[in-house]
Amino acid sequence: MKILELYIFRRAFQMFLVTLVPVLTIIWTIQVLGRINLVTDTGQSMGSFMTLATFILPTIIPVVLPFAIVIGITQTLNAMNNDSELAVIDAAGSARSIIYRPVMILAITMAAFSFLITNFVEPAARVKAREMVAAAYADLLSSVIEEKTFRSIEDGLYVQISERHSGRVLTGIYMVDYRDPNMDLIYYAREGSIAEDGKTLTMRDGEVHRKTKEGRISIVKFVSYAFDLSSMTESTDGAPVFASDRSLSFLLKPDPTDKTFLFSPGSFRSELHRRMSDWLLPVAFALISLVVAGGARSSRRARLHPMVLALIFCFTLRWLSFYVTNLSKNNPAVTPLVYAVPIGFGLICAYMLVTNRQLAMPRFISQPLGRLSDLARRRLASVNSAQGGSQ
């Protein structure tokens, strides 16, 4: 790249990182705090919790990265326009490719990075996180639950034990199960034991109280009763592995005998095309930024800030892409639109760049927004002048 192109690339990349890191940190923190129960409920160490947090990170990078691209590029070009750098480039007779090339190199590089994360790193991270949670919950009843204390294992399931003995033996078991909306279940047992794999609780010498939605109650005494803990342990062997957890090779050639695939083949089709199309968004967003802020313009003529205009178009594109992807689950005919939406936006922007057209909001939207902006500026100026006079 030429010196000027390298200068633009460096500034855009720095602004991209300045945008990506804080936003990614905030969203990552919110996602991680939502899983803090792994420590509080299962007694895991902070090291295990941070390992789980690391597995969560690849799932949010592809979502944040395209918006960091558009913010970094738009802010860079807008700052260059305010400093009259774009006007100087045009006045020097330089080709527009000097501005376009470094921006598109950055966008294509980040698109390739997003493709790798989405198709190879994210699925493996999801599976590792699921396995880690399964291992944490597998021994929950026999080792973590405190004696004579009610604990919520999952929504609608509560357990209390009187004593814990060696050999994974529990005595004085009291369990309440409200997970079925049609029936409430209450279990009492003198003693019980948990299988080595943590998937079955065998209760002995007890009774189960059943209450239906109509209010009918029945009591059944049992000598031995096996309670399934597989859903509680969240084991990847017993629980279904969803389409988002599958590898790219599996999505390209699904196993026709897989239970999850047989139950919802549309979700696997939708997930495949989502992964193959999401990497186009950074390129389309970069083209939108170039159309909005890539040309020299007067600040007096600009009625709406380029950043606002670029984000409006990018959010619209992201919403359309998300909508048609979900629509393709139940309607295979919609699948071409998954690719047509980002490619169509990109082609329109490329045509406007080639023909030297500028993207602008429709007048019925830009004019009211411009009036509101002017009114706010005049109001702020009058307040400042009044405060200065009083002083």
Side-chain angles (χ1 to χ4, degrees), residues 4-69:
L4 186 55
E5 293 175 346
L6 188 60
Y7 167 75
I8 296 173
F9 178 85
R10 184 173 63 250
R11 288 192 59 174
F13 182 69
Q14 290 174 350
M15 186 57 62
F16 161 74
L17 290 181
V18 168
T19 304
L20 177 66
V21 174
V23 176
L24 191 62
T25 302
I26 293 172
I27 299 177
W28 183 41
T29 302
I30 294 173
Q31 295 291 323
V32 168
L33 291 179
R35 293 165 174 79
I36 193 67
N37 61 316
L38 181 70
V39 176
T40 58
D41 289 349
T42 65
Q44 296 295 304
S45 64
M46 284 303 298
S48 300
F49 179 68
M50 292 308 299
T51 302
L52 178 63
T54 305
F55 292 144
I56 295 173
L57 185 60
T59 64
I60 59 178
I61 289 178
V63 179
V64 179
L65 189 142
F67 291 99
I69 283 285

Side-chain angles (χ1 to χ4, degrees), residues 181-193:
N182 298 317
M183 182 178 296
D184 297 336
L185 299 172
I186 300 177
Y187 300 88
Y188 304 90
R190 289 185 180 274
E191 67 175 24
S193 60

Side-chain angles (χ1 to χ4, degrees), residues 97 100 105 112 136 163 231 281 369 378:
S97 59
Y100 300 161
I105 289 176
E163 294 179 356
S231 62
L281 292 177
L369 290 176
R378 288 196 298 267

Side-chain angles (χ1 to χ4, degrees), residues 126-259:
R126 287 180 180 274
V127 173
K128 289 292 184 181
R130 183 183 292 268
E131 291 175 351
M132 185 175 178
V133 173
Y137 279 93
D139 204 32
L140 179 60
L141 285 176
S142 63
S143 61
V144 176
I145 289 183
E146 300 176 3
E147 298 176 352
K148 300 180 176 63
T149 302
F150 266 105
R151 291 296 298 271
S152 174
I153 305 303
E154 61 180 39
D155 291 340
L157 183 61
Y158 306 89
V159 178
Q160 181 191 26
I161 59 174
S162 295
E163 294 179 356
R164 182 187 300 111
H165 301 278
S166 60
R168 306 170 71 88
V169 176
L170 311 173
T171 59
I173 301 173
Y174 179 74
M175 183 179 298
V176 181
D177 188 355
Y178 292 152
R179 294 176 297 177
D180 188 349
N182 298 317
M183 182 178 296
D184 297 336
L185 299 172
I186 300 177
Y187 300 88
Y188 304 90
R190 289 185 180 274
E191 67 175 24
S193 60
I194 299 178
E196 291 294 335
D197 58 4
K199 295 182 180 181
T200 305
L201 169 62
T202 302
M203 295 180 283
R204 291 179 289 274
D205 190 11
E207 58 186 36
V208 54
H209 295 202
R210 300 176 180 175
K211 181 179 179 181
T212 64
K213 189 165 59 175
E214 293 79 15
R216 282 179 281 203
I217 299 176
S218 62
I219 301 176
V220 178
K221 293 187 177 182
F222 57 82
V223 177
S224 179
Y225 187 94
F227 187 85
D228 184 18
L229 301 177
S230 60
S231 62
M232 186 189 317
T233 59
E234 299 183 22
S235 171
T236 54
D237 296 330
V241 180
F242 300 104
S244 57
D245 303 326
R246 301 292 191 174
S247 63
L248 180 61
S249 59
F250 185 93
L251 294 177
L252 290 171
K253 190 177 181 181
D255 183 2
T257 62
D258 186 85
K259 294 182 179 179

Side-chain angles (χ1 to χ4, degrees), residues 67-142:
F67 291 99
I69 283 285
V70 67
I71 293 174
I73 294 174
T74 305
Q75 181 60 29
T76 299
L77 296 177
N78 186 59
M80 293 179 65
N81 180 75
N82 293 338
D83 295 337
S84 301
E85 292 176 317
L86 296 183
V88 171
I89 292 174
D90 287 345
S94 301
R96 304 297 298 176
S97 59
I98 290 182
I99 300 174
Y100 300 161
R101 188 180 296 113
V103 169
M104 294 310 300
I105 289 176
L106 175 62
I108 293 173
T109 303
M110 292 301 106
F113 177 72
S114 177
F115 181 84
L116 293 175
I117 293 291
T118 302
N119 289 281
F120 300 102
V121 180
E122 180 183 349
R126 287 180 180 274
V127 173
K128 289 292 184 181
R130 183 183 292 268
E131 291 175 351
M132 185 175 178
V133 173
Y137 279 93
D139 204 32
L140 179 60
L141 285 176
S142 63

